Amino acid sequence: PNATETPLAPYLLTGSLKQGADLYWGDNTNFNSSLLFVQHWAKIQYTEPDRYDVSNTSFTSLWNTGYATLITDLNTILNFSDQQANSNYKGIALTLRSWTFLLLTDAYGSIPYKEAGLKVTPAYNTQKEVYTGLLEDLKQAQSLLSATNGTVTGDLSYKGDISKWKKLVNSLRLRIALRISDKEPALAKQAAIDATTDAAGVLSSNNDTFKFTYTSSPQQNPASAWFETRDDFRVSKTLVDKLTELSDPRLPVYAQLPTDKSVVKYVGAGNGLTNSDANSQGFAKTSKPGTYFLTSSSPAVIVSYSEVLFNLAEAAARGYISGDAEQLYKNAITASFNQFGITDATAISNYLNQASVKYDASNYAKSIGTQKWIAFYGQGLDAFTEWRRLDYPVLKAGPSTVLDGQIPSRFFYPGTEQSLNGSNYQTAVSAQGKDLLTTKLWFDAK
């Protein structure tokens, strides 16, 4: 027997945090898919994923790890007796499970939610049902979390600091409020008010950022591990050109200078090229992702303080909460700079005062969408979701892509859903739309 017969809450928590970070920052869900869709990275060889020439085996990691590992292990904690896990463990488990379901529905649309983990062939819930259910789950998580409810060990993200978990819960509630804002504005407004008026608050500094910090191989950052043996990604020309245009001081953090010393500036690679066209850009003449992201101990940032400030800015712009949207927007950009070690007040001020960066109250989606896209660098799944929701920046599919000029709007369901959960899969697809990369999801169908 090589399986644990009596799992322990601290070990399940540690494992879930590590598996979740690996999933969120790993190849299938991040740099081989969503980072390409949002044109943060580009492929310089093996360009099929960058041309969207993929099958329903390409996106199985998020589904399989999300359900079989994360949700299964987190449900185990939730089902423990009070003697096996105090209510703080359960509050954290419910928070992490909600985050996992959120990633799944953002990527696929309708998903098994209410029956997940309870039935071998679970029914799917619509995206609206999932989002509204998660708001309730997070409300419950908040009620389970209290500094007086016992200590938590095995927490590699917040070191058992329950006040930070409570802030994360509210930050996720605010994130979901904006996910539903174009479809259910009244519910979105109430959710935003609930999240921001809760006594625990939301993430309030970069010290509150929810992240998993890696160490050294084999417990290393997935991007670092990838580049140790492979060299098939570059920073996207779309991003490099934008950061160059804005004289953005994050460019040297996000990218490396090409290894060819005759090239003295950052050079992005084109997205959606044929293998030969991609290769001909020159491996030594194009920029790899920055060393900040390719170091073994680089953190996997999952929910940043910068994102929360952008969300507060948008909630204020929509009139959901009181607040100065422009100031929150500036604070969000500043928080992103600080996150990447840029603290020079003059440099930040010069950046914020550029005409192309200044907040446009008449088109908050453009201002927030563009800057959020830059700040989300490396966080492909959420960058992809926010780009679809806000429709900025305007991205163009590469010249050799296979979707008639469109960029994907979702992930395919894994093929195993058709073979193992066929009738529920068919019911979901008939309601949501064909199982295609171009089918718009509920939150995105404007």
Side-chain angles (χ1 to χ4, degrees), residues 9 27 50 57 69 72 74 105 108 113 117 162 178 220 252 277 291 314 336 347 349-350 396 430 442:
D27 57 321
D50 207 3
T57 59
T69 302
T72 299
L74 296 165
T105 190
Y108 299 100
Y113 164 59
I162 299 304
L178 295 175
Q220 73 197 105
D277 286 349
T291 53
E314 184 182 341
S336 176
S349 174
N350 290 344
K396 291 194 174 110
S430 63
W442 175 79

Side-chain angles (χ1 to χ4, degrees), residues 395-412:
L395 301 176
K396 291 194 174 110
S400 296
T401 51
V402 300
L403 298 178
D404 295 328
Q406 295 184 72
I407 294 172
S409 293
R410 62 183 289 275
F411 284 8
F412 285 129

Side-chain angles (χ1 to χ4, degrees), residues 310 313-318 324-330 333 352-369 371:
F310 279 121
E314 184 182 341
R318 287 178 177 270
D324 182 339
E326 181 176 5
Q327 188 58 52
L328 288 162
Y329 165 81
K330 288 180 178 175
I333 297 170
L352 292 173
N353 286 324
Q354 294 180 91
S356 50
V357 174
K358 279 190 172 169
Y359 180 72
D360 180 358
S362 67
N363 191 352
Y364 66 81
K366 182 177 183 182
S367 294
I368 292 172
Q371 284 296 328

Side-chain angles (χ1 to χ4, degrees), residues 43 56 65 70 90 153 168 203 232 373 436:
K43 296 280 295 199
N56 60 14
T65 305
L70 292 172
K90 294 180 180 181
T153 57
L168 176 64
L203 305 190
D232 47 338
W373 172 73
L436 301 172

Side-chain angles (χ1 to χ4, degrees), residues 13 17 77 85-96 138 140-171 198-204 207-208 210:
L13 174 55
L17 290 166
I77 297 177
N86 64 44
S87 69
N88 280 332
Y89 278 112
K90 294 180 180 181
I92 291 170
L94 191 51
T95 305
L96 291 173
L138 288 165
Q140 186 189 348
Q142 193 62 277
S143 70
L144 289 166
L145 292 164
S146 170
T148 60
N149 285 355
T151 57
V152 167
T153 57
D155 173 11
L156 297 186
S157 290
Y158 283 145
K159 310 290 185 284
D161 186 337
I162 299 304
S163 66
K164 290 188 175 179
W165 281 106
K166 290 178 76 69
K167 289 180 180 181
L168 176 64
V169 170
N170 289 332
S171 302
D198 184 86
V202 292
L203 305 190
S204 55
N207 291 329
D208 291 339
F210 180 52

Side-chain angles (χ1 to χ4, degrees), residues 135-358:
L135 287 172
E136 291 304 313
D137 287 348
L138 288 165
K139 204 179 285 186
Q140 186 189 348
Q142 193 62 277
S143 70
L144 289 166
L145 292 164
S146 170
T148 60
N149 285 355
T151 57
V152 167
T153 57
D155 173 11
L156 297 186
S157 290
Y158 283 145
K159 310 290 185 284
D161 186 337
I162 299 304
S163 66
K164 290 188 175 179
W165 281 106
K166 290 178 76 69
K167 289 180 180 181
L168 176 64
V169 170
N170 289 332
S171 302
L172 288 172
R173 292 165 77 186
L174 177 61
R175 180 192 275 186
I176 296 169
L178 295 175
R179 290 281 197 274
I180 64 176
S181 55
D182 288 333
K183 305 294 285 188
E184 295 284 338
L187 180 59
K189 179 176 183 177
Q190 190 56 53
I193 292 169
D194 291 348
T196 53
T197 57
D198 184 86
V202 292
L203 305 190
S204 55
S205 77
N206 276 321
N207 291 329
D208 291 339
T209 288
F210 180 52
K211 63 187 178 183
F212 184 90
T213 303
Y214 290 94
T215 52
S216 56
S217 180
Q219 310 295 348
Q220 73 197 105
N221 181 289
S224 155
W226 186 273
F227 272 84
E228 280 182 7
T229 58
R230 299 185 57 150
D231 188 26
D232 47 338
F233 290 99
R234 290 293 182 270
V235 184
S236 168
K237 183 178 189 301
T238 308
L239 184 75
V240 171
D241 289 358
K242 184 53 141 180
L243 295 185
T244 303
E245 172 202 327
L246 298 175
S247 303
D248 195 310
R250 287 169 290 192
L251 181 54
V253 182
Y254 287 7
Q256 300 179 49
L257 284 168
T259 53
D260 183 334
K261 297 302 180 204
S262 70
V263 184
V264 294
K265 62 175 187 174
Y266 297 92
V267 180
N271 285 97
L273 304 178
T274 63
N275 277 306
S276 58
D277 286 349
N279 290 169
S280 66
Q281 297 173 103
F283 284 80
K285 294 184 182 295
T286 46
S287 293
K288 292 183 186 181
T291 53
Y292 176 93
F293 295 91
L294 303 184
T295 305
S296 287
S297 56
S298 296
V301 170
I302 297 170
V303 183
S304 69
Y305 174 47
S306 172
E307 182 206 339
V308 172
L309 287 167
F310 279 121
N311 289 346
L312 289 169
E314 184 182 341
R318 287 178 177 270
Y320 291 174
I321 60 172
S322 58
D324 182 339
E326 181 176 5
Q327 188 58 52
L328 288 162
Y329 165 81
K330 288 180 178 175
N331 294 350
I333 297 170
T334 304
S336 176
F337 277 35
N338 295 168
Q339 179 185 333
F340 295 111
I342 301 158
T343 54
D344 184 301
T346 306
I348 295 171
S349 174
N350 290 344
Y351 183 83
L352 292 173
N353 286 324
Q354 294 180 91
S356 50
V357 174
K358 279 190 172 169

